[in-house]
Amino acid sequence: MGAHINTGEKVANRTFFGSVAYWVIRNLAWLLAHLVCRYRVRGREHVPPKGALLIVANHLSWFDPLLLSLITTRRVWFFTKAEMFGWPIVGWLCKITGQIPVHRGEGDRVALERALSYLRDGRAIVFFPEGTVERQEQMIAAHPGIAMLALHSGATLLPVAHTGTRRVLRAGRGWFPRVQIQIGLPYLPALPPGKARKVGLQEITRELMRHIAEMMPPAQRGIYR
């Protein structure tokens, strides 16, 4: 009985300290964002206030996760490359705040199951379906994992487009660059009727990326022009 109580207390303490750490980091991110760029967010009213949510965005910079944590007052979680969990301080913060480690370049079933568990709890997860930072500020092909995750969880998809983060804190790119964030309309995806599952997942992914591309400048839409 005592061991059970101690385990429960440890979990509760970890959850509490993880929540405190998250909001401290978020406040620091807010301060950093105001110090290094001029960012503007449009469409905040589109963010569902509760329920399972997949916030899906294009990926331009290491700065994207910090900035996207500021678009909503909801707490959000991220898929984080597994290597970061071994970094000093950063790795500890990833662990205590409950981020999802993912091994890139391979099917990571453990990461998927953890994400599904979070979504069943009604949490919000930020996802970058392109899988890597695009250095030329052009949209590239997205992986269909986001479609599978959305269908398995029943989560709402929220497309988000942003520009300018590639210039943040980069020599020769100008100081205090302008960053624009546009939040689209949330929606529930569905498999197209009469299509094989693999083809259907690809179509859902393309549809999502087109929603993001429509909010981007035409010159930065890449393969989704």
Side-chain angles (χ1 to χ4, degrees):
M1 182 70 176
H4 176 74
I5 294 175
N6 288 339
T7 300
E9 289 177 348
K10 288 178 181 178
V11 172
N13 288 339
R14 191 182 306 119
T15 301
F16 172 76
F17 286 118
S19 181
V20 170
Y22 173 83
W23 291 111
V24 168
I25 295 169
R26 187 183 184 276
N27 288 335
L28 291 175
W30 181 90
L31 177 61
L32 177 62
H34 282 79
L35 288 175
V36 301
C37 69
R38 294 168 290 166
Y39 78 91
R40 183 174 184 179
V41 183
R42 297 178 184 271
R44 274 198 172 102
E45 68 276 10
H46 297 158
V47 182
K50 60 182 179 179
L53 182 65
L54 282 165
I55 301 171
V56 188
N58 57 310
H59 201 6
L60 299 173
S61 166
W62 62 267
F63 193 64
D64 296 347
L66 289 177
L67 198 60
L68 290 177
S69 71
L70 304 177
I71 68 174
T72 173
T73 55
R74 292 183 62 171
R75 182 177 174 182
V76 299
W77 284 261
F78 296 87
F79 282 92
T80 306
K81 61 181 182 180
E83 298 89 334
M84 290 181 65
F85 283 75
W87 295 1
I89 302 178
V90 172
W92 178 77
L93 289 172
C94 287
K95 292 174 185 175
I96 197 172
T97 56
Q99 305 311 313
I100 305 171
V102 60
H103 295 85
R104 297 188 299 177
E106 58 184 84
D108 194 331
R109 188 170 183 82
V110 174
L112 177 62
E113 290 296 334
R114 187 167 182 179
L116 286 171
S117 174
Y118 280 13
L119 292 170
R120 292 187 188 111
D121 288 341
R123 302 187 192 187
I125 297 176
V126 176
F127 196 96
F128 300 106
E130 292 163 303
T132 186
V133 168
E134 176 41 47
R135 301 179 185 278
Q136 303 303 317
E137 298 189 75
Q138 295 286 316
M139 293 182 70
I140 60 176
H143 299 287
I146 182 62
M148 183 171 62
L149 186 57
L151 290 178
H152 274 75
S153 65
T156 297
L157 290 175
L158 184 70
V160 177
H162 63 90
T163 60
T165 56
R166 189 71 192 161
R167 299 176 176 86
V168 174
L169 292 178
R170 290 187 180 274
R173 296 296 185 98
W175 178 250
F176 216 56
R178 186 178 298 278
V179 173
Q180 301 281 356
I181 304 171
Q182 178 68 52
I183 303 173
L185 294 173
Y187 70 99
L188 288 170
L191 279 172
K195 295 288 182 70
R197 183 173 179 82
K198 183 177 180 180
V199 174
L201 292 174
Q202 291 171 342
E203 289 198 9
I204 290 173
T205 303
R206 282 195 295 269
E207 177 190 25
L208 172 61
M209 298 307 288
R210 283 195 293 267
H211 284 314
I212 295 173
E214 288 169 359
M215 298 183 286
M216 298 281 290
Q220 295 183 25
R221 295 175 183 174
I223 68 168
Y224 296 103
R225 284 193 182 94

